[in-house]
């Protein structure tokens, strides 16, 4: 891959992260249902058209946030597994459960948004692009507990 292609890929990933950061901020401040794509675009300092190049709608943004949050949790679990590689078992399981609880409630706005999505039905339409990846991440997360 050329240097220019690498730079463009890196810039696209950075812009996507900036959009997700803005969406998270707006969702937490205004609530998911009340949040508007225009407010998210403004918070990301992008035009609405650019926002729609990355995410089709709020559900896709929420799924992007969920997937990013899952990946952060899986990274945390990986570090815990590495620390306990020589002695897995109850000690690791306790650390994983504690890490999971800590991750899900910090900040509390994340937990509030997740619980609101679950309380109103299935959090995502299974046909939504990326939903399968999020489901596989859930399997990995709980597989880590089973492995411990």
């Amino acid at each position: 891959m050329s240097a220019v292609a690498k730079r463009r890929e890196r810039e696209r990933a950075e812009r996507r992260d900036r959009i997700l950061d803005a969406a998270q901020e707006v969702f937490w401040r205004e609530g998911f249902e009340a949040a508007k794509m225009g407010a998210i675009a403004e918070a990301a300092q992008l035009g609405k058209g650019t926002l729609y190049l990355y995410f089709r709608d709020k559900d896709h943004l929420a799924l992007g946030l969920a997937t990013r949050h899952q990946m952060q949790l899986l990274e945390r679990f990986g570090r815990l597994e590495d620390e306990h590689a020589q002695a897995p078992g109850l000690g690791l399981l306790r650390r994983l459960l504690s890490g999971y609880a800590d991750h899900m409630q910090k900040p509390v706005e994340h937990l509030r948004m997740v619980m609101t999505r679950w309380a109103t039905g299935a959090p995502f339409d299974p046909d939504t692009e990326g939903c399968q990846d999020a489901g596989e991440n859930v399997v990995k997360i709980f597989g880590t507990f089973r492995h411990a």
Side-chain angles (χ1 to χ4, degrees):
M1 181 182 294
S2 73
V4 172
K6 287 179 183 177
R7 179 185 52 82
R8 286 184 180 152
E9 188 176 303
R10 184 184 69 250
E11 288 171 351
R12 182 167 174 74
E14 289 169 355
R15 188 171 296 122
R16 185 178 191 282
D17 279 340
R18 193 168 78 224
I19 292 169
L20 288 173
D21 290 343
Q24 179 174 281
E25 172 191 320
V26 172
F27 289 162
W28 290 354
R29 183 180 65 236
E30 299 176 14
F32 179 78
E33 295 301 326
K36 303 286 185 229
M37 292 293 275
I40 294 167
E42 187 176 319
Q45 299 177 344
L46 298 170
K48 261 174 82 170
T50 302
L51 175 63
Y52 282 109
L53 289 174
Y54 287 81
F55 296 96
R56 188 177 319 155
D57 54 29
K58 287 193 310 185
D59 281 339
H60 283 84
L61 275 164
L63 185 57
L65 282 170
T67 302
R68 182 169 76 169
H69 201 72
Q70 290 170 334
M71 296 308 296
Q72 291 167 346
L73 183 59
L74 285 167
E75 288 171 15
R76 184 178 196 163
F77 281 4
R79 288 190 302 273
L80 288 171
E81 285 181 308
D82 289 347
E83 291 172 12
H84 290 80
Q86 300 303 318
L90 286 179
L92 174 57
L93 186 57
R94 282 187 194 105
R95 297 282 308 270
L96 290 171
L97 288 169
S98 176
Y100 180 77
D102 184 57
H103 190 80
M104 289 303 292
Q105 68 179 350
K106 288 186 181 175
V108 73
E109 291 86 359
H110 170 75
L111 181 62
R112 194 172 296 127
M113 188 176 97
V114 169
M115 296 311 292
T116 301
R117 296 282 298 178
W118 278 103
T120 58
F124 302 106
D125 178 346
D127 295 329
T128 303
E129 181 183 336
C131 196
Q132 183 176 351
D133 292 339
E136 290 171 6
N137 286 340
V138 169
V139 170
K140 289 177 188 174
I141 288 167
F142 289 103
T144 305
F145 290 118
R146 186 174 46 250
H147 181 261

